[in-house]
Amino acid sequence: MNSGRRRAALWLQEALGVAADGAIGPKTLRAARATNDRAALIGRVCDIRLTFLRGLDTWPDFGRGWSRRVRSVRAASLVMAGAP
């Protein structure tokens, strides 16, 4: 993730609905493994990331590229997850 590992962990934890502490531990891994809808999880993480990016002061300058990157990550993640 371009916003750092800790923030990526926080986004994943938020998307999973577990306590967000920025550290991927047993509870986060257990929740991720228990997820039945990988596509929905990927979508939630990407949506959370995009919301964060839109809140940055530099969004007007870099938003198009960031949006394109998030779309690319979403598409690649869905392929890796074997999601439709």
Side-chain angles (χ1 to χ4, degrees):
M1 292 292 230
N2 297 90
S3 298
R5 290 183 300 210
R6 183 172 190 284
R7 188 162 282 130
L10 289 168
W11 294 336
L12 174 62
Q13 291 167 328
E14 182 180 339
L16 288 169
V18 300
D21 62 4
I24 302 294
K27 290 180 184 177
T28 303
L29 292 174
R30 200 169 23 256
R33 288 184 186 115
T35 299
N36 293 325
D37 191 345
R38 294 179 192 159
L41 177 59
I42 290 165
R44 285 192 303 271
V45 171
C46 289
D47 291 346
I48 291 166
R49 181 180 182 200
L50 200 52
T51 298
F52 167 79
L53 293 170
R54 285 184 178 131
L56 296 175
D57 292 340
T58 51
W59 175 260
D61 297 318
F62 302 109
R64 276 185 41 184
W66 290 341
S67 293
R68 188 171 42 249
R69 183 177 296 144
V70 172
R71 280 193 307 273
S72 174
V73 167
R74 185 187 307 254
S77 297
L78 289 170
V79 169
M80 286 188 275

